[in-house]
């Protein structure tokens, strides 16, 4: 179908974002899980390991909480953009809300732009809030490269949104949505080293191709935390800490996943439940 | 008069099942047409093709002069669709939802006026999730009307309404007609079709089996009237001035000229100081005609 746009479209997307925001914050299930889980993980693990250090696969040692904050931000992005979005869209597909939208002149791209904008807002708020919390209570230093930090958070959120939309094609009905989404998300959270580093080996090699790993790397690098101990064989003058190369490589892998998520979404997204 | 909907030779199959097997239909601008038919008769499929939700296999379709398969946003700005059992953003208030939808259209109606029209003025500030089923149906109606459409599709708009709410919904539909809107209505309620529609189309087995004004469809206009009453005490059938048949406790006589027959009958009764208890004159109802037209159709869904 040909794209039909008009001068009214920009305010239209703005109103969709506002409506999505209202729906998100008023829905205890959506807001609660997306906000509480990452905060819960942040506080528990930071309290347990607050003063400790952690050795990265590269041999460099940093404060545990400096490592952990990047993983928590990715976890928050997964909750808001992947888990919440996929479950929410499946419910709207099954109860006919999406069909009703199709009956109006609202273009599909405007509906999704509103959803994307809303989830980006939630993710950025969560990133800033968890960072502030960690700075106040867990000795985390502020991101040294603030623009890179915000850019990577936004890119990661957008990528996870595209994957969240793509995954709905695999979800048969809304009852199955939480199970399908979590079965995919939770192993990935651990495999990608969000909560503790994955040692060298096959898993580590696989993880280098996964989006969450790269998101964590890039966010970690934007923090560029102080090095607490350096292996003797390597120089540690610049705070680039990961073995996987510079941030550009991380961005490239994330962009590939964004492209995959977008293409799969465009080809497989269903507006109504199965059998209709 | 211009044509709002024009359908010629419409066909649609799902696998081996032919849901629509050659439907012709035309609806004039400003007309209210009711589509009746058993479940599985193909009426939902037909309406969803007109609404642009489904693609047809064959036939020609024009809605407001546009093929709905390619109508896109421009066509959707000119039509309003009130769907059955359709979800909505439950965490928005009624007013927020109607305003959001008003923003989708180039020339929407005033959201407050639409809420008054559907009787939700007092619920404007309530979250949609707190509304009763009947109130949510009125939200559906409000969202169908907000874009000030030229053509409105109403899919069983009063299912689940109490009698008062149904009368209220009917008066809304009548007010739409007064504004010159075209209405295509599907319903299972014969009194709804009788009250609202200029024309009734009966669909069965994927085809139109009858169409006409509600009072004339299926030969209703020409059908003989049935005059029914109870025999007055002490009167035998043979005493009556007209030939009747017994039907349970009552007697019935059929006539093409009920005025003359009633004159004879009541004159006879008055002369003798008798009452004719439970006297009624009736023609076959729309429901009688409908049941006859669709009698051999099995319910398939």
């Amino acid at each position: 179908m040909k794209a039909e746009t008009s001068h009214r479209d920009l305010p239209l997307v703005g109103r969709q974002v506002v409506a999505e925001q209202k729906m998100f914050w008023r829905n205890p299930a959506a807001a609660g899980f997306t906000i509480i889980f990452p905060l819960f993980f942040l506080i528990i693990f930071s309290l347990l390991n607050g003063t400790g250090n952690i050795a990265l696969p590269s041999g460099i040692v940093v404060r545990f909480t400096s490592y952990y904050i990047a993983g928590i931000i990715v976890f928050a992005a997964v909750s808001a953009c992947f888990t919440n979005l996929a479950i929410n869209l499946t419910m709207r597909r099954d109860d006919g809300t999406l069909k009703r939208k199709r009956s109006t002149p609202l273009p599909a791209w405007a509906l999704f732009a509103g959803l994307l904008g809303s989830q980006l807002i939630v993710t950025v708020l969560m990133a800033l809030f968890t960072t502030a919390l960690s700075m106040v209570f867990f000795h985390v230093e502020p991101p040294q490269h603030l623009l890179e930090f915000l850019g990577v958070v936004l890119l990661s959120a957008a990528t996870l949104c595209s994957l969240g939309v793509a995954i709905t094609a695999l979800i048969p009905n809304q009852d199955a949505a939480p199970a399908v989404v979590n079965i995919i998300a939770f192993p990935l959270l651990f495999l990608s080293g969000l909560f503790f580093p994955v040692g060298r080996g096959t898993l580590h090699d696989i993880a280098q191709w996964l989006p969450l790993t790269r998101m964590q790397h890039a966010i970690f690098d934007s923090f560029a935390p102080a090095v607490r101990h350096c292996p003797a064989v390597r120089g540690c003058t610049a705070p680039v800490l990961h073995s996987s190369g510079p941030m550009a490589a991380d961005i490239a892998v994330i962009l590939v996943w964004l492209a995959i998520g977008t293409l799969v979404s465009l080809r497989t997204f269903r507006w109504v439940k199965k059998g209709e | 008069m211009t044509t709002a909907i024009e359908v010629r030779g419409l066909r649609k199959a799902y696998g081996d099942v032919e849901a629509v097997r050659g439907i012709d239909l035309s609806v004039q601008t400003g007309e209210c047409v009711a589509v009746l038919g058993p479940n599985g008769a193909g009426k939902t499929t037909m309406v969803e093709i007109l609404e642009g939700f489904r693609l047809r296999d064959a036939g020609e379709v024009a809605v407001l002069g546009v093929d709905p398969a390619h109508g896109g946003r421009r066509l959707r700005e000119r039509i309003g669709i009130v769907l059955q059992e359709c979800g909505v953003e439950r965490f928005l208030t009624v007013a927020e939802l109607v305003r959001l939808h008003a923003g989708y259209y180039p020339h929407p109606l005033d959201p407050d006026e639409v809420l008054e029209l559907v009787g939700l003025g007092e619920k404007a500030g309530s979250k949609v999730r707190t509304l009763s089923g009947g109130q949510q149906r009125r939200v559906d109606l409000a969202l169908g009307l907000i874009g000030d459409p030229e053509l409105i599709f109403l899919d069983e708009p009063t299912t689940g309404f109490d009698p008062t709410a149904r009368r209220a919904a009917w008066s809304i539909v009548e007010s739409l007609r007064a504004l010159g809107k075209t209405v295509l209505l599907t319903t299972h309620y014969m009194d709804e079709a009788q009250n609202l529609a200029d024309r009734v189309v009966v669909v069965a087995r994927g085809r139109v089996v009858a169409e006409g004004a509600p009072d004339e469809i299926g030969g209703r206009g020409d059908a003989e009237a049935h005059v029914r009453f109870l025999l007055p005490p002490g009167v035998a059938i043979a005493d009556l001035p007209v030939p009747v048949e017994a039907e349970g406790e009552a007697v019935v006589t059929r006539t093409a000229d009920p005025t003359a027959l009633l004159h004879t009958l009541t004159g006879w009764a008055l002369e003798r100081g008798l009452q004719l208890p439970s006297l009624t004159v009736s023609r076959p109802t729309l429901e009688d005609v409908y049941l006859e037209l669709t009698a051999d159709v099995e319910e398939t869904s």
Side-chain angles (χ1 to χ4, degrees), chain A residues 56-60 67 70 192-193 197 200 204 208 213-214 216-221 234 238-247 250:
Chain A
L56 304 176
S58 58
I60 291 168
Y67 174 83
S192 306
R200 294 205 172 275
H204 177 268
Q208 299 312 305
T213 315
R214 297 298 186 149
Q216 188 209 19
H217 288 181
I219 292 172
F220 182 89
D221 285 352
R234 295 176 63 152
V240 174
L241 301 172
H242 268 282
S243 59
S244 52
M247 197 189 279
D250 297 328

PDB file of all heavy atoms in Angstrom, chain A residues 56-60 67 70 192-193 197 200 204 208 213-214 216-221 234 238-247 250:
ATOM      1  N   LEU A  56      37.324  -8.587  34.460  1.00  0.00           N
ATOM      2  CA  LEU A  56      36.694  -8.795  33.163  1.00  0.00           C
ATOM      3  C   LEU A  56      37.485  -9.821  32.377  1.00  0.00           C
ATOM      4  O   LEU A  56      38.634 -10.114  32.705  1.00  0.00           O
ATOM      5  CB  LEU A  56      36.673  -7.461  32.415  1.00  0.00           C
ATOM      6  CG  LEU A  56      35.978  -6.332  33.172  1.00  0.00           C
ATOM      7  CD1 LEU A  56      36.093  -5.030  32.400  1.00  0.00           C
ATOM      8  CD2 LEU A  56      34.520  -6.692  33.408  1.00  0.00           C
ATOM      9  N   PRO A  57      36.904 -10.399  31.309  1.00  0.00           N
ATOM     10  CA  PRO A  57      37.634 -11.392  30.517  1.00  0.00           C
ATOM     11  C   PRO A  57      38.960 -10.849  30.007  1.00  0.00           C
ATOM     12  O   PRO A  57      39.923 -11.596  29.811  1.00  0.00           O
ATOM     13  CB  PRO A  57      36.665 -11.678  29.358  1.00  0.00           C
ATOM     14  CG  PRO A  57      35.317 -11.386  29.922  1.00  0.00           C
ATOM     15  CD  PRO A  57      35.518 -10.242  30.883  1.00  0.00           C
ATOM     16  N   SER A  58      39.074  -9.526  29.832  1.00  0.00           N
ATOM     17  CA  SER A  58      40.327  -8.944  29.348  1.00  0.00           C
ATOM     18  C   SER A  58      41.408  -8.937  30.422  1.00  0.00           C
ATOM     19  O   SER A  58      42.565  -8.650  30.133  1.00  0.00           O
ATOM     20  CB  SER A  58      40.072  -7.502  28.883  1.00  0.00           C
ATOM     21  OG  SER A  58      39.534  -6.747  29.958  1.00  0.00           O
ATOM     22  N   GLY A  59      41.013  -9.253  31.676  1.00  0.00           N
ATOM     23  CA  GLY A  59      41.984  -9.232  32.758  1.00  0.00           C
ATOM     24  C   GLY A  59      41.932  -7.961  33.571  1.00  0.00           C
ATOM     25  O   GLY A  59      42.467  -7.893  34.666  1.00  0.00           O
ATOM     26  N   ILE A  60      41.293  -6.948  33.028  1.00  0.00           N
ATOM     27  CA  ILE A  60      41.193  -5.679  33.737  1.00  0.00           C
ATOM     28  C   ILE A  60      40.206  -5.822  34.890  1.00  0.00           C
ATOM     29  O   ILE A  60      39.203  -6.519  34.780  1.00  0.00           O
ATOM     30  CB  ILE A  60      40.740  -4.573  32.766  1.00  0.00           C
ATOM     31  CG1 ILE A  60      41.876  -4.306  31.772  1.00  0.00           C
ATOM     32  CG2 ILE A  60      40.324  -3.308  33.486  1.00  0.00           C
ATOM     33  CD1 ILE A  60      41.462  -3.469  30.602  1.00  0.00           C
ATOM     34  N   TYR A  67      30.618  -2.336  36.764  1.00  0.00           N
ATOM     35  CA  TYR A  67      30.307  -3.326  35.728  1.00  0.00           C
ATOM     36  C   TYR A  67      28.810  -3.552  35.673  1.00  0.00           C
ATOM     37  O   TYR A  67      28.209  -3.618  34.589  1.00  0.00           O
ATOM     38  CB  TYR A  67      31.012  -4.639  36.066  1.00  0.00           C
ATOM     39  CG  TYR A  67      30.647  -5.781  35.155  1.00  0.00           C
ATOM     40  CD1 TYR A  67      31.279  -5.943  33.930  1.00  0.00           C
ATOM     41  CD2 TYR A  67      29.666  -6.689  35.521  1.00  0.00           C
ATOM     42  CE1 TYR A  67      30.939  -6.970  33.094  1.00  0.00           C
ATOM     43  CE2 TYR A  67      29.312  -7.722  34.690  1.00  0.00           C
ATOM     44  CZ  TYR A  67      29.952  -7.867  33.469  1.00  0.00           C
ATOM     45  OH  TYR A  67      29.609  -8.885  32.642  1.00  0.00           O
ATOM     46  N   ALA A  70      25.822  -1.227  33.822  1.00  0.00           N
ATOM     47  CA  ALA A  70      25.572  -1.349  32.379  1.00  0.00           C
ATOM     48  C   ALA A  70      24.602  -2.493  32.104  1.00  0.00           C
ATOM     49  O   ALA A  70      23.688  -2.381  31.282  1.00  0.00           O
ATOM     50  CB  ALA A  70      26.894  -1.574  31.643  1.00  0.00           C
ATOM     51  N   SER A 192      24.472 -13.314  27.929  1.00  0.00           N
ATOM     52  CA  SER A 192      25.104 -12.085  27.461  1.00  0.00           C
ATOM     53  C   SER A 192      25.940 -11.413  28.546  1.00  0.00           C
ATOM     54  O   SER A 192      26.465 -10.329  28.330  1.00  0.00           O
ATOM     55  CB  SER A 192      24.040 -11.104  26.960  1.00  0.00           C
ATOM     56  OG  SER A 192      23.234 -11.740  25.993  1.00  0.00           O
ATOM     57  N   GLY A 193      26.028 -12.050  29.707  1.00  0.00           N
ATOM     58  CA  GLY A 193      26.913 -11.525  30.744  1.00  0.00           C
ATOM     59  C   GLY A 193      26.414 -10.267  31.411  1.00  0.00           C
ATOM     60  O   GLY A 193      27.210  -9.452  31.879  1.00  0.00           O
ATOM     61  N   PRO A 197      30.322 -11.689  34.285  1.00  0.00           N
ATOM     62  CA  PRO A 197      30.988 -11.912  32.993  1.00  0.00           C
ATOM     63  C   PRO A 197      30.980 -13.391  32.613  1.00  0.00           C
ATOM     64  O   PRO A 197      31.077 -14.258  33.478  1.00  0.00           O
ATOM     65  CB  PRO A 197      32.425 -11.436  33.257  1.00  0.00           C
ATOM     66  CG  PRO A 197      32.362 -10.635  34.512  1.00  0.00           C
ATOM     67  CD  PRO A 197      31.225 -11.167  35.300  1.00  0.00           C
ATOM     68  N   ARG A 200      35.852 -17.096  29.000  1.00  0.00           N
ATOM     69  CA  ARG A 200      36.205 -17.410  27.615  1.00  0.00           C
ATOM     70  C   ARG A 200      35.787 -18.824  27.269  1.00  0.00           C
ATOM     71  O   ARG A 200      35.736 -19.695  28.127  1.00  0.00           O
ATOM     72  CB  ARG A 200      37.711 -17.257  27.426  1.00  0.00           C
ATOM     73  CG  ARG A 200      38.177 -15.830  27.590  1.00  0.00           C
ATOM     74  CD  ARG A 200      39.477 -15.587  26.836  1.00  0.00           C
ATOM     75  NE  ARG A 200      39.811 -14.168  26.849  1.00  0.00           N
ATOM     76  CZ  ARG A 200      39.313 -13.318  25.961  1.00  0.00           C
ATOM     77  NH1 ARG A 200      38.499 -13.725  25.007  1.00  0.00           N
ATOM     78  NH2 ARG A 200      39.642 -12.033  26.017  1.00  0.00           N
ATOM     79  N   HIS A 204      31.136 -17.709  25.297  1.00  0.00           N
ATOM     80  CA  HIS A 204      31.632 -16.348  25.127  1.00  0.00           C
ATOM     81  C   HIS A 204      31.661 -15.958  23.653  1.00  0.00           C
ATOM     82  O   HIS A 204      31.242 -14.856  23.268  1.00  0.00           O
ATOM     83  CB  HIS A 204      33.035 -16.244  25.743  1.00  0.00           C
ATOM     84  CG  HIS A 204      33.661 -14.900  25.567  1.00  0.00           C
ATOM     85  ND1 HIS A 204      34.463 -14.599  24.501  1.00  0.00           N
ATOM     86  CD2 HIS A 204      33.576 -13.765  26.316  1.00  0.00           C
ATOM     87  CE1 HIS A 204      34.852 -13.338  24.582  1.00  0.00           C
ATOM     88  NE2 HIS A 204      34.339 -12.819  25.688  1.00  0.00           N
ATOM     89  N   GLN A 208      29.239 -12.990  21.662  1.00  0.00           N
ATOM     90  CA  GLN A 208      29.721 -11.799  20.969  1.00  0.00           C
ATOM     91  C   GLN A 208      28.810 -11.394  19.827  1.00  0.00           C
ATOM     92  O   GLN A 208      28.876 -10.263  19.340  1.00  0.00           O
ATOM     93  CB  GLN A 208      31.148 -12.025  20.438  1.00  0.00           C
ATOM     94  CG  GLN A 208      32.161 -12.317  21.522  1.00  0.00           C
ATOM     95  CD  GLN A 208      32.076 -11.355  22.687  1.00  0.00           C
ATOM     96  OE1 GLN A 208      32.152 -10.147  22.531  1.00  0.00           O
ATOM     97  NE2 GLN A 208      31.858 -11.911  23.891  1.00  0.00           N
ATOM     98  N   THR A 213      24.791  -8.568  24.640  1.00  0.00           N
ATOM     99  CA  THR A 213      26.208  -8.480  24.955  1.00  0.00           C
ATOM    100  C   THR A 213      26.792  -7.163  24.469  1.00  0.00           C
ATOM    101  O   THR A 213      27.492  -6.446  25.191  1.00  0.00           O
ATOM    102  CB  THR A 213      26.965  -9.636  24.259  1.00  0.00           C
ATOM    103  OG1 THR A 213      26.228 -10.830  24.455  1.00  0.00           O
ATOM    104  CG2 THR A 213      28.362  -9.778  24.803  1.00  0.00           C
ATOM    105  N   ARG A 214      26.471  -6.870  23.225  1.00  0.00           N
ATOM    106  CA  ARG A 214      27.024  -5.669  22.608  1.00  0.00           C
ATOM    107  C   ARG A 214      26.460  -4.402  23.232  1.00  0.00           C
ATOM    108  O   ARG A 214      27.153  -3.384  23.340  1.00  0.00           O
ATOM    109  CB  ARG A 214      26.760  -5.690  21.101  1.00  0.00           C
ATOM    110  CG  ARG A 214      27.442  -6.843  20.396  1.00  0.00           C
ATOM    111  CD  ARG A 214      28.946  -6.728  20.545  1.00  0.00           C
ATOM    112  NE  ARG A 214      29.650  -7.727  19.768  1.00  0.00           N
ATOM    113  CZ  ARG A 214      30.860  -7.538  19.223  1.00  0.00           C
ATOM    114  NH1 ARG A 214      31.504  -6.391  19.418  1.00  0.00           N
ATOM    115  NH2 ARG A 214      31.436  -8.485  18.537  1.00  0.00           N
ATOM    116  N   GLN A 216      25.526  -4.094  26.314  1.00  0.00           N
ATOM    117  CA  GLN A 216      26.203  -3.920  27.597  1.00  0.00           C
ATOM    118  C   GLN A 216      27.618  -3.377  27.398  1.00  0.00           C
ATOM    119  O   GLN A 216      28.047  -2.470  28.098  1.00  0.00           O
ATOM    120  CB  GLN A 216      26.239  -5.247  28.351  1.00  0.00           C
ATOM    121  CG  GLN A 216      26.763  -5.068  29.762  1.00  0.00           C
ATOM    122  CD  GLN A 216      27.458  -6.301  30.270  1.00  0.00           C
ATOM    123  OE1 GLN A 216      27.864  -7.152  29.484  1.00  0.00           O
ATOM    124  NE2 GLN A 216      27.584  -6.402  31.586  1.00  0.00           N
ATOM    125  N   HIS A 217      28.345  -3.947  26.444  1.00  0.00           N
ATOM    126  CA  HIS A 217      29.700  -3.468  26.163  1.00  0.00           C
ATOM    127  C   HIS A 217      29.694  -1.978  25.873  1.00  0.00           C
ATOM    128  O   HIS A 217      30.489  -1.217  26.425  1.00  0.00           O
ATOM    129  CB  HIS A 217      30.289  -4.191  24.942  1.00  0.00           C
ATOM    130  CG  HIS A 217      30.645  -5.614  25.220  1.00  0.00           C
ATOM    131  ND1 HIS A 217      31.191  -6.425  24.273  1.00  0.00           N
ATOM    132  CD2 HIS A 217      30.508  -6.372  26.321  1.00  0.00           C
ATOM    133  CE1 HIS A 217      31.384  -7.635  24.767  1.00  0.00           C
ATOM    134  NE2 HIS A 217      30.973  -7.621  26.020  1.00  0.00           N
ATOM    135  N   ALA A 218      28.794  -1.581  24.971  1.00  0.00           N
ATOM    136  CA  ALA A 218      28.812  -0.185  24.527  1.00  0.00           C
ATOM    137  C   ALA A 218      28.444   0.754  25.676  1.00  0.00           C
ATOM    138  O   ALA A 218      29.035   1.822  25.842  1.00  0.00           O
ATOM    139  CB  ALA A 218      27.848  -0.008  23.348  1.00  0.00           C
ATOM    140  N   ILE A 219      27.457   0.342  26.484  1.00  0.00           N
ATOM    141  CA  ILE A 219      27.078   1.201  27.619  1.00  0.00           C
ATOM    142  C   ILE A 219      28.213   1.245  28.640  1.00  0.00           C
ATOM    143  O   ILE A 219      28.565   2.310  29.164  1.00  0.00           O
ATOM    144  CB  ILE A 219      25.761   0.699  28.251  1.00  0.00           C
ATOM    145  CG1 ILE A 219      24.609   0.920  27.267  1.00  0.00           C
ATOM    146  CG2 ILE A 219      25.475   1.407  29.573  1.00  0.00           C
ATOM    147  CD1 ILE A 219      23.304   0.305  27.681  1.00  0.00           C
ATOM    148  N   PHE A 220      28.829   0.090  28.878  1.00  0.00           N
ATOM    149  CA  PHE A 220      29.964   0.037  29.800  1.00  0.00           C
ATOM    150  C   PHE A 220      31.076   0.968  29.340  1.00  0.00           C
ATOM    151  O   PHE A 220      31.627   1.746  30.127  1.00  0.00           O
ATOM    152  CB  PHE A 220      30.473  -1.407  29.883  1.00  0.00           C
ATOM    153  CG  PHE A 220      31.614  -1.581  30.840  1.00  0.00           C
ATOM    154  CD1 PHE A 220      31.375  -1.861  32.188  1.00  0.00           C
ATOM    155  CD2 PHE A 220      32.931  -1.472  30.411  1.00  0.00           C
ATOM    156  CE1 PHE A 220      32.428  -2.016  33.069  1.00  0.00           C
ATOM    157  CE2 PHE A 220      33.993  -1.627  31.295  1.00  0.00           C
ATOM    158  CZ  PHE A 220      33.736  -1.902  32.630  1.00  0.00           C
ATOM    159  N   ASP A 221      31.374   0.908  28.041  1.00  0.00           N
ATOM    160  CA  ASP A 221      32.446   1.755  27.518  1.00  0.00           C
ATOM    161  C   ASP A 221      32.104   3.240  27.632  1.00  0.00           C
ATOM    162  O   ASP A 221      32.994   4.076  27.814  1.00  0.00           O
ATOM    163  CB  ASP A 221      32.744   1.400  26.055  1.00  0.00           C
ATOM    164  CG  ASP A 221      33.512   0.083  25.953  1.00  0.00           C
ATOM    165  OD1 ASP A 221      33.920  -0.441  27.018  1.00  0.00           O
ATOM    166  OD2 ASP A 221      33.673  -0.427  24.836  1.00  0.00           O
ATOM    167  N   ARG A 234      49.499  -5.879  29.848  1.00  0.00           N
ATOM    168  CA  ARG A 234      48.825  -4.923  28.970  1.00  0.00           C
ATOM    169  C   ARG A 234      48.910  -3.521  29.545  1.00  0.00           C
ATOM    170  O   ARG A 234      48.918  -3.320  30.747  1.00  0.00           O
ATOM    171  CB  ARG A 234      47.362  -5.301  28.803  1.00  0.00           C
ATOM    172  CG  ARG A 234      47.189  -6.625  28.092  1.00  0.00           C
ATOM    173  CD  ARG A 234      45.768  -7.005  28.021  1.00  0.00           C
ATOM    174  NE  ARG A 234      45.011  -6.023  27.237  1.00  0.00           N
ATOM    175  CZ  ARG A 234      43.922  -6.340  26.584  1.00  0.00           C
ATOM    176  NH1 ARG A 234      43.468  -7.572  26.602  1.00  0.00           N
ATOM    177  NH2 ARG A 234      43.261  -5.437  25.903  1.00  0.00           N
ATOM    178  N   ALA A 238      44.304   4.063  28.502  1.00  0.00           N
ATOM    179  CA  ALA A 238      42.961   4.513  28.146  1.00  0.00           C
ATOM    180  C   ALA A 238      41.950   3.532  28.728  1.00  0.00           C
ATOM    181  O   ALA A 238      42.186   2.330  28.728  1.00  0.00           O
ATOM    182  CB  ALA A 238      42.822   4.567  26.628  1.00  0.00           C
ATOM    183  N   PRO A 239      40.827   4.050  29.208  1.00  0.00           N
ATOM    184  CA  PRO A 239      39.852   3.173  29.846  1.00  0.00           C
ATOM    185  C   PRO A 239      38.944   2.439  28.857  1.00  0.00           C
ATOM    186  O   PRO A 239      37.740   2.494  28.991  1.00  0.00           O
ATOM    187  CB  PRO A 239      39.085   4.139  30.753  1.00  0.00           C
ATOM    188  CG  PRO A 239      39.158   5.446  30.060  1.00  0.00           C
ATOM    189  CD  PRO A 239      40.449   5.455  29.301  1.00  0.00           C
ATOM    190  N   VAL A 240      39.508   1.833  27.827  1.00  0.00           N
ATOM    191  CA  VAL A 240      38.713   0.943  26.971  1.00  0.00           C
ATOM    192  C   VAL A 240      38.930  -0.451  27.493  1.00  0.00           C
ATOM    193  O   VAL A 240      40.038  -0.976  27.458  1.00  0.00           O
ATOM    194  CB  VAL A 240      39.135   1.052  25.493  1.00  0.00           C
ATOM    195  CG1 VAL A 240      38.396   0.019  24.664  1.00  0.00           C
ATOM    196  CG2 VAL A 240      38.810   2.460  24.981  1.00  0.00           C
ATOM    197  N   LEU A 241      37.857  -1.038  27.986  1.00  0.00           N
ATOM    198  CA  LEU A 241      38.042  -2.155  28.895  1.00  0.00           C
ATOM    199  C   LEU A 241      37.704  -3.522  28.315  1.00  0.00           C
ATOM    200  O   LEU A 241      38.039  -4.533  28.881  1.00  0.00           O
ATOM    201  CB  LEU A 241      37.182  -1.911  30.133  1.00  0.00           C
ATOM    202  CG  LEU A 241      37.546  -0.601  30.830  1.00  0.00           C
ATOM    203  CD1 LEU A 241      36.563  -0.307  31.915  1.00  0.00           C
ATOM    204  CD2 LEU A 241      38.947  -0.663  31.371  1.00  0.00           C
ATOM    205  N   HIS A 242      37.020  -3.525  27.194  1.00  0.00           N
ATOM    206  CA  HIS A 242      36.540  -4.823  26.737  1.00  0.00           C
ATOM    207  C   HIS A 242      37.459  -5.441  25.713  1.00  0.00           C
ATOM    208  O   HIS A 242      38.150  -4.739  24.981  1.00  0.00           O
ATOM    209  CB  HIS A 242      35.125  -4.711  26.189  1.00  0.00           C
ATOM    210  CG  HIS A 242      34.113  -4.973  27.267  1.00  0.00           C
ATOM    211  ND1 HIS A 242      33.815  -6.240  27.680  1.00  0.00           N
ATOM    212  CD2 HIS A 242      33.379  -4.142  28.020  1.00  0.00           C
ATOM    213  CE1 HIS A 242      32.919  -6.160  28.651  1.00  0.00           C
ATOM    214  NE2 HIS A 242      32.629  -4.897  28.885  1.00  0.00           N
ATOM    215  N   SER A 243      37.395  -6.744  25.690  1.00  0.00           N
ATOM    216  CA  SER A 243      38.243  -7.483  24.763  1.00  0.00           C
ATOM    217  C   SER A 243      37.640  -7.501  23.376  1.00  0.00           C
ATOM    218  O   SER A 243      38.258  -7.943  22.431  1.00  0.00           O
ATOM    219  CB  SER A 243      38.409  -8.919  25.255  1.00  0.00           C
ATOM    220  OG  SER A 243      37.128  -9.516  25.350  1.00  0.00           O
ATOM    221  N   SER A 244      36.391  -7.044  23.245  1.00  0.00           N
ATOM    222  CA  SER A 244      35.682  -7.248  21.984  1.00  0.00           C
ATOM    223  C   SER A 244      35.891  -6.108  21.000  1.00  0.00           C
ATOM    224  O   SER A 244      35.212  -6.029  19.998  1.00  0.00           O
ATOM    225  CB  SER A 244      34.200  -7.411  22.275  1.00  0.00           C
ATOM    226  OG  SER A 244      33.759  -6.332  23.077  1.00  0.00           O
ATOM    227  N   GLY A 245      36.776  -5.203  21.289  1.00  0.00           N
ATOM    228  CA  GLY A 245      37.057  -4.151  20.324  1.00  0.00           C
ATOM    229  C   GLY A 245      36.341  -2.875  20.671  1.00  0.00           C
ATOM    230  O   GLY A 245      35.682  -2.772  21.694  1.00  0.00           O
ATOM    231  N   PRO A 246      36.463  -1.884  19.802  1.00  0.00           N
ATOM    232  CA  PRO A 246      35.919  -0.565  20.100  1.00  0.00           C
ATOM    233  C   PRO A 246      34.400  -0.534  20.007  1.00  0.00           C
ATOM    234  O   PRO A 246      33.760  -1.472  19.554  1.00  0.00           O
ATOM    235  CB  PRO A 246      36.548   0.311  19.015  1.00  0.00           C
ATOM    236  CG  PRO A 246      36.773  -0.631  17.881  1.00  0.00           C
ATOM    237  CD  PRO A 246      37.108  -1.960  18.508  1.00  0.00           C
ATOM    238  N   MET A 247      33.821   0.578  20.448  1.00  0.00           N
ATOM    239  CA  MET A 247      32.379   0.722  20.455  1.00  0.00           C
ATOM    240  C   MET A 247      31.769   0.591  19.066  1.00  0.00           C
ATOM    241  O   MET A 247      30.654   0.106  18.915  1.00  0.00           O
ATOM    242  CB  MET A 247      32.011   2.080  21.070  1.00  0.00           C
ATOM    243  CG  MET A 247      30.563   2.144  21.501  1.00  0.00           C
ATOM    244  SD  MET A 247      30.044   3.799  21.980  1.00  0.00           S
ATOM    245  CE  MET A 247      30.643   3.892  23.637  1.00  0.00           C
ATOM    246  N   ASP A 250      30.565  -2.794  18.463  1.00  0.00           N
ATOM    247  CA  ASP A 250      29.319  -3.057  19.182  1.00  0.00           C
ATOM    248  C   ASP A 250      28.123  -2.469  18.430  1.00  0.00           C
ATOM    249  O   ASP A 250      27.101  -3.117  18.228  1.00  0.00           O
ATOM    250  CB  ASP A 250      29.374  -2.426  20.580  1.00  0.00           C
ATOM    251  CG  ASP A 250      30.472  -3.028  21.438  1.00  0.00           C
ATOM    252  OD1 ASP A 250      30.752  -4.230  21.255  1.00  0.00           O
ATOM    253  OD2 ASP A 250      31.035  -2.300  22.270  1.00  0.00           O
TER     254      ASP A 250
END
